[in-house]
Amino acid sequence: MTPADAAAETLCIMPVGADAAEAACTVTRQSITHCCVLDHANDAAILSAWLANKTHENLAAWMAAPGAAAWGAYRGETMVGFALRAQATLALCYVVPDALHRGVGRALLQNIEAHAREAGLATLDLESTRTAEPFYLSLIHISEPTRRRGISYA
């Protein structure tokens, strides 16, 4: 492996602003389309409805909203994961298909949790897809009642 290859494989998580919305939109749409088949079952109507508001204009607005914080996961110059916290909610957390099961989602979630704590949040709510639920459950210990309300930092 050359130094350039190693640099391209190194994962970098960084805060991103609305200027990264186009890349974030690409990540989000690819992930929903290719990784969330359990949820949309390749049903064109369901997929179309899910993707309808996932435009770079909407992502830019969501990223710039008061109380929002966004992160991009990069391998080299390419965004391979994206997460958005809106107030006390994990609003989006998506990874491109080629980066699944390589620690990208875990790294994004760790950054989100750390930032939420720094912002004084005691809990972070999320609504998971069926596809992502095992991922979240593998990273955090939550009880069944808490599972329906949000993630608690105990």
Side-chain angles (χ1 to χ4, degrees), residues 104-125:
V104 176
R106 177 185 308 264
L108 281 167
L109 188 58
Q110 288 170 342
N111 276 269
I112 292 162
E113 290 175 329
H115 189 272
R117 283 188 207 99
E118 289 170 12
L121 298 173
T123 61
L124 187 61
D125 295 321

Side-chain angles (χ1 to χ4, degrees), residues 7-61:
E9 286 300 311
T10 302
L11 183 64
C12 178
I13 308 292
M14 65 179 67
V16 294
D19 58 327
E22 192 167 336
C25 184
T26 298
V27 167
T28 301
R29 292 177 70 87
Q30 282 183 11
S31 184
I32 291 169
T33 301
H34 300 290
C35 303
C36 298
V37 175
L38 179 63
D39 297 278
H40 59 68
N42 289 317
D43 182 302
I46 294 171
L47 186 56
S48 179
W50 193 350
L51 295 174
N53 68 345
K54 307 309 185 289
T55 65
H56 70 270
E57 294 89 358
N58 282 346
L59 265 73

Side-chain angles (χ1 to χ4, degrees), residues 69-135:
W71 292 266
Y74 291 85
R75 291 209 189 274
E77 300 287 319
T78 304
M79 185 184 283
V80 295
F82 172 72
L84 174 69
R85 181 180 60 78
Q87 304 290 343
T89 300
L90 175 59
L92 301 172
C93 187
Y94 289 103
V95 175
V96 297
D98 290 343
L100 283 178
H101 311 292
R102 296 187 180 182
V104 176
R106 177 185 308 264
L108 281 167
L109 188 58
Q110 288 170 342
N111 276 269
I112 292 162
E113 290 175 329
H115 189 272
R117 283 188 207 99
E118 289 170 12
L121 298 173
T123 61
L124 187 61
D125 295 321
L126 68 86
E127 185 175 324
S128 178
T129 61
R130 285 184 289 171
T131 300
E133 186 176 25
F135 162 74

